[in-house]
Short mmCIF file of all heavy atoms in Angstrom, two decimals:
data_model
loop_
_atom_site.label_atom_id
_atom_site.label_comp_id
_atom_site.label_asym_id
_atom_site.label_seq_id
_atom_site.Cartn_x
_atom_site.Cartn_y
_atom_site.Cartn_z
N ASP G 1500 2.05 -8.36 8.21
CA ASP G 1500 3.00 -9.22 8.97
C ASP G 1500 4.35 -9.24 8.33
O ASP G 1500 5.33 -9.23 9.01
CB ASP G 1500 2.38 -10.65 8.98
CG ASP G 1500 1.12 -10.72 9.86
OD1 ASP G 1500 0.97 -9.95 10.78
OD2 ASP G 1500 0.25 -11.59 9.49
N ALA G 1501 4.37 -9.29 6.94
CA ALA G 1501 5.69 -9.35 6.31
C ALA G 1501 6.29 -7.95 6.06
O ALA G 1501 7.32 -7.82 5.52
CB ALA G 1501 5.50 -10.07 4.98
N ARG G 1502 5.46 -6.92 6.38
CA ARG G 1502 5.83 -5.51 6.14
C ARG G 1502 6.19 -5.34 4.62
O ARG G 1502 7.29 -4.92 4.28
CB ARG G 1502 6.99 -5.07 7.00
CG ARG G 1502 6.62 -4.88 8.43
CD ARG G 1502 7.80 -4.38 9.29
NE ARG G 1502 7.30 -4.03 10.60
CZ ARG G 1502 7.08 -2.83 10.98
NH1 ARG G 1502 7.11 -1.83 10.11
NH2 ARG G 1502 6.68 -2.58 12.21
N GLU G 1503 5.26 -5.73 3.79
CA GLU G 1503 5.49 -5.69 2.33
C GLU G 1503 4.22 -5.33 1.62
O GLU G 1503 3.17 -5.74 1.99
CB GLU G 1503 5.99 -7.12 1.91
CG GLU G 1503 6.36 -7.22 0.46
CD GLU G 1503 6.76 -8.61 0.06
OE1 GLU G 1503 5.86 -9.47 -0.19
OE2 GLU G 1503 7.99 -8.87 0.03
N VAL G 1504 4.35 -4.56 0.50
CA VAL G 1504 3.26 -4.21 -0.34
C VAL G 1504 3.46 -4.78 -1.71
O VAL G 1504 4.59 -4.71 -2.26
CB VAL G 1504 3.11 -2.61 -0.43
CG1 VAL G 1504 2.00 -2.25 -1.41
CG2 VAL G 1504 2.87 -2.06 0.94
N ARG G 1505 2.41 -5.36 -2.30
CA ARG G 1505 2.56 -5.94 -3.61
C ARG G 1505 1.83 -5.03 -4.65
O ARG G 1505 0.80 -4.38 -4.30
CB ARG G 1505 2.03 -7.34 -3.71
CG ARG G 1505 2.86 -8.29 -2.84
CD ARG G 1505 2.36 -9.77 -3.09
NE ARG G 1505 1.07 -10.02 -2.38
CZ ARG G 1505 1.02 -10.36 -1.05
NH1 ARG G 1505 2.11 -10.40 -0.33
NH2 ARG G 1505 -0.19 -10.59 -0.54
N PHE G 1506 2.30 -5.06 -5.85
CA PHE G 1506 1.83 -4.15 -6.94
C PHE G 1506 1.57 -4.85 -8.19
O PHE G 1506 2.04 -6.03 -8.42
CB PHE G 1506 2.81 -3.03 -7.17
CG PHE G 1506 3.21 -2.21 -5.98
CD1 PHE G 1506 4.30 -2.63 -5.22
CD2 PHE G 1506 2.47 -1.14 -5.54
CE1 PHE G 1506 4.72 -1.94 -4.08
CE2 PHE G 1506 2.85 -0.42 -4.45
CZ PHE G 1506 3.99 -0.79 -3.72
N ASP G 1507 0.83 -4.30 -9.10
CA ASP G 1507 0.61 -4.82 -10.49
C ASP G 1507 1.74 -4.29 -11.32
O ASP G 1507 1.83 -3.09 -11.64
CB ASP G 1507 -0.72 -4.37 -10.99
CG ASP G 1507 -1.11 -4.93 -12.32
OD1 ASP G 1507 -0.33 -5.81 -12.79
OD2 ASP G 1507 -2.06 -4.44 -12.99
N GLY G 1508 2.64 -5.24 -11.80
CA GLY G 1508 3.62 -4.81 -12.69
C GLY G 1508 4.89 -4.30 -12.03
O GLY G 1508 5.82 -3.74 -12.74
N LEU G 1509 4.99 -4.35 -10.74
CA LEU G 1509 6.19 -3.89 -9.97
C LEU G 1509 6.50 -4.88 -8.89
O LEU G 1509 5.57 -5.46 -8.22
CB LEU G 1509 5.87 -2.50 -9.39
CG LEU G 1509 6.99 -1.85 -8.52
CD1 LEU G 1509 8.20 -1.46 -9.45
CD2 LEU G 1509 6.48 -0.60 -7.82
N ALA G 1510 7.75 -5.14 -8.70
CA ALA G 1510 8.19 -6.06 -7.69
C ALA G 1510 7.73 -5.63 -6.26
O ALA G 1510 7.63 -4.39 -6.03
CB ALA G 1510 9.70 -6.28 -7.71
N PRO G 1511 7.39 -6.54 -5.35
CA PRO G 1511 7.00 -6.17 -3.98
C PRO G 1511 8.03 -5.30 -3.35
O PRO G 1511 9.24 -5.41 -3.59
CB PRO G 1511 6.87 -7.55 -3.30
CG PRO G 1511 6.66 -8.50 -4.35
CD PRO G 1511 7.49 -8.01 -5.55
N ILE G 1512 7.61 -4.37 -2.49
CA ILE G 1512 8.44 -3.42 -1.84
C ILE G 1512 8.18 -3.62 -0.30
O ILE G 1512 7.13 -3.51 0.18
CB ILE G 1512 8.16 -1.98 -2.20
CG1 ILE G 1512 8.39 -1.80 -3.71
CG2 ILE G 1512 9.07 -1.05 -1.43
CD1 ILE G 1512 8.15 -0.37 -4.19
N GLY G 1513 9.32 -3.90 0.41
CA GLY G 1513 9.28 -3.94 1.84
C GLY G 1513 9.36 -2.56 2.48
O GLY G 1513 9.81 -1.62 1.79
N TYR G 1514 8.93 -2.45 3.77
CA TYR G 1514 8.96 -1.13 4.37
C TYR G 1514 9.20 -1.25 5.83
O TYR G 1514 8.95 -2.31 6.49
CB TYR G 1514 7.65 -0.41 4.15
CG TYR G 1514 6.41 -1.14 4.73
CD1 TYR G 1514 6.08 -0.89 6.07
CD2 TYR G 1514 5.67 -2.02 3.97
CE1 TYR G 1514 5.02 -1.53 6.64
CE2 TYR G 1514 4.56 -2.62 4.53
CZ TYR G 1514 4.29 -2.42 5.90
OH TYR G 1514 3.18 -3.08 6.46
N ASP G 1515 9.71 -0.20 6.43
CA ASP G 1515 9.76 -0.05 7.87
C ASP G 1515 8.57 0.77 8.40
O ASP G 1515 8.05 0.58 9.46
CB ASP G 1515 11.11 0.59 8.29
CG ASP G 1515 12.30 -0.25 7.93
OD1 ASP G 1515 12.46 -1.32 8.59
OD2 ASP G 1515 13.01 0.09 6.94
N TYR G 1516 8.25 1.79 7.56
CA TYR G 1516 7.10 2.60 7.90
C TYR G 1516 6.17 2.74 6.65
O TYR G 1516 6.68 2.86 5.52
CB TYR G 1516 7.57 4.04 8.32
CG TYR G 1516 8.39 4.04 9.53
CD1 TYR G 1516 9.77 4.04 9.42
CD2 TYR G 1516 7.80 4.12 10.82
CE1 TYR G 1516 10.64 4.06 10.53
CE2 TYR G 1516 8.66 4.11 11.88
CZ TYR G 1516 10.02 4.08 11.81
OH TYR G 1516 10.78 4.09 12.94
N LEU G 1517 4.93 2.65 6.82
CA LEU G 1517 4.00 2.68 5.67
C LEU G 1517 3.03 3.87 5.87
O LEU G 1517 2.41 4.00 6.89
CB LEU G 1517 3.17 1.37 5.68
CG LEU G 1517 2.07 1.23 4.53
CD1 LEU G 1517 2.79 1.21 3.21
CD2 LEU G 1517 1.26 0.00 4.67
N VAL G 1518 2.93 4.69 4.82
CA VAL G 1518 2.07 5.83 4.80
C VAL G 1518 0.93 5.56 3.77
O VAL G 1518 1.25 5.30 2.62
CB VAL G 1518 2.78 7.12 4.45
CG1 VAL G 1518 1.84 8.29 4.34
CG2 VAL G 1518 3.89 7.43 5.45
N PHE G 1519 -0.27 5.64 4.23
CA PHE G 1519 -1.49 5.42 3.37
C PHE G 1519 -2.01 6.76 2.96
O PHE G 1519 -2.56 7.54 3.77
CB PHE G 1519 -2.52 4.60 4.09
CG PHE G 1519 -2.72 3.21 3.52
CD1 PHE G 1519 -1.76 2.21 3.85
CD2 PHE G 1519 -3.67 2.93 2.62
CE1 PHE G 1519 -1.95 0.93 3.36
CE2 PHE G 1519 -3.82 1.68 2.07
CZ PHE G 1519 -2.93 0.66 2.44
N GLY G 1520 -1.98 7.07 1.64
CA GLY G 1520 -2.57 8.34 1.18
C GLY G 1520 -3.24 8.07 -0.17
O GLY G 1520 -3.04 8.84 -1.08
N LEU G 1521 -4.02 7.03 -0.18
CA LEU G 1521 -4.63 6.56 -1.45
C LEU G 1521 -5.86 7.32 -1.84
O LEU G 1521 -6.50 6.95 -2.90
CB LEU G 1521 -4.94 5.02 -1.34
CG LEU G 1521 -3.67 4.19 -1.27
CD1 LEU G 1521 -4.07 2.71 -1.06
CD2 LEU G 1521 -2.81 4.31 -2.54
N GLY G 1522 -6.30 8.35 -1.08
CA GLY G 1522 -7.41 9.11 -1.53
C GLY G 1522 -8.75 8.49 -1.05
O GLY G 1522 -8.81 7.60 -0.31
N ALA G 1523 -9.82 9.08 -1.60
CA ALA G 1523 -11.16 8.71 -1.26
C ALA G 1523 -11.97 8.28 -2.49
O ALA G 1523 -11.68 8.68 -3.62
CB ALA G 1523 -11.88 9.89 -0.58
N GLU G 1524 -12.98 7.47 -2.25
CA GLU G 1524 -13.91 7.14 -3.32
C GLU G 1524 -15.06 8.14 -3.32
O GLU G 1524 -15.44 8.77 -2.33
CB GLU G 1524 -14.51 5.76 -3.04
CG GLU G 1524 -13.42 4.63 -3.19
CD GLU G 1524 -12.96 4.47 -4.63
OE1 GLU G 1524 -13.86 4.69 -5.55
OE2 GLU G 1524 -11.77 4.16 -4.92
N VAL G 1525 -15.70 8.28 -4.43
CA VAL G 1525 -16.89 9.18 -4.56
C VAL G 1525 -18.07 8.56 -3.82
O VAL G 1525 -18.31 7.39 -3.85
CB VAL G 1525 -17.32 9.29 -6.09
CG1 VAL G 1525 -18.51 10.24 -6.18
CG2 VAL G 1525 -16.14 9.81 -6.88
N ASN G 1526 -18.71 9.39 -3.02
CA ASN G 1526 -19.85 8.99 -2.25
C ASN G 1526 -21.16 9.61 -2.87
O ASN G 1526 -21.33 10.76 -2.86
CB ASN G 1526 -19.71 9.46 -0.78
CG ASN G 1526 -20.82 8.91 0.12
OD1 ASN G 1526 -21.81 8.31 -0.32
ND2 ASN G 1526 -20.61 9.00 1.40
N PHE G 1527 -22.02 8.67 -3.35
CA PHE G 1527 -23.24 9.11 -3.99
C PHE G 1527 -24.41 9.11 -2.96
O PHE G 1527 -25.55 9.33 -3.32
CB PHE G 1527 -23.58 8.23 -5.22
CG PHE G 1527 -22.60 8.42 -6.33
CD1 PHE G 1527 -21.65 7.40 -6.61
CD2 PHE G 1527 -22.63 9.54 -7.12
CE1 PHE G 1527 -20.79 7.56 -7.70
CE2 PHE G 1527 -21.72 9.71 -8.17
CZ PHE G 1527 -20.82 8.68 -8.46
#
């Protein structure tokens, strides 16, 4: 809603476009 991402140790960053490329978890 706020178009913002929060981080550990870094100030929040607002965005106009957000790209998710965080990878995959191991599937056992």
Side-chain angles (χ1 to χ4, degrees):
D1500 294 328
R1502 288 180 172 268
E1503 183 181 83
V1504 178
R1505 293 189 287 276
F1506 305 91
D1507 182 12
L1509 178 68
I1512 299 178
Y1514 63 84
D1515 296 289
Y1516 299 95
L1517 180 64
V1518 177
F1519 249 80
L1521 293 175
E1524 291 292 326
V1525 180
N1526 188 348
F1527 293 107

